[in-house]
Amino acid sequence: MDKHILVFDSGLGGTTILDALRQRLPGYRYSYAMDNGAFPYGDKTDDFLRQRIQTLFDALLPQAQPDLVVIACNTASTLILDVLRARHSIPFVGVVPAIKPAAAASHSKVIALLATPATLTRGYIDQLSMTHANHCQLIRYAHPELVAIAEDKMLGHAVDRQHLANILAPLKEQQGAAAIDTFVLGCTHFPAIADELAMAWGSPARWIDSGQAIARRVGELLGPCPGKPDGPAGILFLTATPPPASLQKIVEKYAFTESRLVAIDNKL
C-alpha cells in the first residue's frame, strides 16, 4: 500500500516542503492541510496556537488517516510538536531554520536568518546558534510583510521587487551585514520568493531552506519509496473556505482529488 504523507501549515508556505518531498519521494501519496482560518500564525499568541492546533489535529487525523505528518511551519513545530507526538501514534516531523547547514556553507562566517517576528523571539534559535553556528556571526532579521508577499506569489500575484528591496534595506545597515554570504530562509513561505529576495539583496549569497533535509528525514522514517513517477492523489484540507480562484490553483497544481473543510471553531 502507498504511504500517505500529510503536510501541514497555516497557509501555502508548507507547499515548498511539499515540493521537496514530491521531488525526492515521488511515489508517496500527499495531502495538504492549511489552517487558513487562522492565517497567519505569526501574530497569534502561543496559548491560542497550542489549543487550536491540538484541536485541529484531533479533527483532522481521523479524516486524513496519514502514515506520517510533516509540520511545515517553524512556529507550530516549536510550540506543539512534542504534544502531537505524545497524543498520536504516527510519526510527526517538524522543521527548524537551516542554521546548521548555513554555518557549514558560509566562507565569511557571517550568516543571516530571515524569519517571522514570532520565530526570532523563540529560545530555540539561540540554542541552534550556540550548537551549530557558534563560530559564526548570526544576523537575525524579520519583517511582518514577507509571509504575505510569499503567499500572494503562490496565488499567482507578481512580487513588487522595489518594495522587497525597501524591506531588506534595514538589514543592510546592521553591523557586519556587508559580509553576509549565506541566508537562512527561516520560514517555509520564503523559498517561494527566494529568487526575488536574491535580486533585492543584490550581492552574491547562498539561500538555504529546510526542504531537502525534511525530505531526507521522511524517507528515513517511511522506508523505500515505491518509485512511481506520480503517486496517487491526495486531498486538500482547509479550515475556512478561500476564494474559488485561489482554491482552484492549488487543487490543479497538486492534482488533489478534492478539497475538504475540517470542522473547527475558527474562534479558537
Side-chain angles (χ1 to χ4, degrees), residues 90-109:
I90 60 173
F92 282 79
V93 176
V95 297
V96 295
I99 290 173
K100 180 179 179 179
S106 175
H107 295 297
S108 68
K109 300 309 174 187

Side-chain angles (χ1 to χ4, degrees), residues 119-130:
T119 293
L120 290 191
T121 62
R122 303 195 185 282
Y124 80 102
I125 297 296
D126 293 330
Q127 183 178 351
L128 286 171
S129 178
M130 288 188 294

Side-chain angles (χ1 to χ4, degrees), residues 49-119:
L49 291 175
R50 286 190 190 97
Q51 180 184 1
R52 181 176 178 86
I53 296 169
Q54 182 172 309
T55 301
L56 173 54
F57 270 91
D58 285 347
L60 174 61
L61 291 182
Q63 293 189 50
Q65 297 187 346
D67 295 292
L68 179 146
V69 176
V70 176
I71 305 295
C73 170
N74 290 276
T75 298
S77 292
T78 57
L79 279 178
I80 198 71
L81 192 61
D82 290 341
V83 173
L84 294 174
R85 284 171 172 164
R87 193 174 179 85
H88 303 284
S89 59
I90 60 173
F92 282 79
V93 176
V95 297
V96 295
I99 290 173
K100 180 179 179 179
S106 175
H107 295 297
S108 68
K109 300 309 174 187
V110 181
I111 61 179
L113 169 62
L114 294 183
T116 63
T119 293

